[in-house]
């Protein structure tokens, strides 16, 4: 078992999600938005986020894969599961766990845009701007974090550690 070190506690995450949820509830009031969770990493964040919001929302999921072995991204994004709910004419919020190089999110925003929603915005819980390869507009950011591989709160390394409630650095 690798060693993990907590960098953001579950309490800090919950507090920040409450703030994001309040902001989103204000911005999307009377808009009945569709929140699109990016699987698998965002499942924990999305479930906490929708329950902290105080407006009606709909939820769908999209699944992509890009990662090879744990920390290495293959650079090639594959759509594994597309949307099930029609989004034409709707307000869409893409909910992502973490933005790293930015390729996944830019692929997803293109995929969503093609389906002609009225509006499309991006909410990412964690952002690693120092790793960016392509520019992506993030409308709602939870935490900006340094360049380190992190796990927990839905994030994995080879499918391990997703269940950890805090955000941790994976130590060699
Ligand atoms: P990007 O395309 O480089 O922005 O990578 C985004 C995807 O890579 C995220 O949705 C995660 O699944 C994964 N990822 C990037 N950085 C990390 C990390 O530090 N820990 C776990 N997964 C990560």
């Amino acid at each position: 078992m690798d060693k993990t070190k907590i960098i953001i506690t579950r309490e800090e995450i919950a507090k920040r999600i409450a703030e994001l949820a309040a902001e989103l509830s204000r911005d999307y009031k009377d808009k009945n938005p569709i929140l699109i969770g990016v699987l698998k990493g965002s499942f924990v964040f999305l479930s906490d986020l929708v329950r902290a919001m105080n407006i009606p929302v709909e939820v769908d999921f999209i699944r992509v894969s890009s990662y090879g072995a744990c920390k290495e991204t293959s650079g090639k994004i594959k759509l594994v599961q597309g949307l099930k709910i029609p989004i034409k004419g709707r307000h869409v919020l893409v909910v992502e766990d973490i933005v790293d190089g930015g390729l996944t999110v830019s692929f997803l925003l293109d995929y969503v845009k093609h389906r002609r929603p009225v509006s499309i915005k991006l909410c990412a819980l964690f952002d690693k701007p120092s790793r960016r390869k392509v520019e992506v507009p993030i409308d709602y950011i939870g935490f900006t974090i340094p360049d380190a591989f992190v796990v927990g709160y839905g994030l994995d390394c080879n499918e391990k550690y997703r269940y950890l409630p805090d955000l941790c650095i994976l130590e060699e």
Side-chain angles (χ1 to χ4, degrees), residues 67 77 96-104 128 148-150 155-156:
Y67 262 66
I77 321 284
E96 175 66 303
D97 51 357
I98 187 163
V99 180
D100 188 46
L103 288 171
T104 306
K128 285 198 271 189
F149 198 83
V150 288
L155 292 154
D156 77 313

Side-chain angles (χ1 to χ4, degrees), residues 55-172:
I55 56 163
V57 301
E58 291 174 31
V59 171
D60 201 355
F61 290 98
I62 200 166
R63 184 159 170 206
V64 289
S65 71
S66 67
Y67 262 66
C70 188
K71 302 179 186 177
E72 288 144 45
T73 172
S74 67
K76 288 191 200 105
I77 321 284
K78 270 200 312 204
L79 184 72
V80 180
Q81 181 194 307
L83 292 171
K84 305 278 191 241
I85 303 180
I87 58 167
K88 189 174 170 194
R90 301 289 303 270
H91 292 279
V92 166
L93 180 71
V94 175
V95 178
E96 175 66 303
D97 51 357
I98 187 163
V99 180
D100 188 46
L103 288 171
T104 306
V105 152
S106 97
F107 171 92
L108 282 176
L109 293 178
D110 268 5
Y111 171 91
V112 172
K113 261 179 215 152
H114 269 93
R115 281 151 186 81
R116 313 226 312 267
V118 175
S119 74
I120 166 162
K121 288 196 173 174
L122 173 65
C123 174
L125 185 56
F126 304 111
D127 180 25
K128 285 198 271 189
S130 58
R131 299 256 309 165
R132 206 68 96 245
K133 290 190 186 117
V134 290
E135 188 116 354
V136 283
I138 311 182
D139 303 283
Y140 303 91
I141 298 176
F143 298 90
T144 299
I145 61 168
D147 176 9
F149 198 83
V150 288
V151 293
Y153 202 76
L155 292 154
D156 77 313
C157 175
N158 288 340
E159 297 304 328
K160 294 195 187 89
Y161 310 111
R162 288 194 200 278
Y163 64 93
L164 294 174
D166 308 288
L167 189 77
C168 304
I169 288 187
L170 198 56
E171 296 186 320
E172 301 296 327

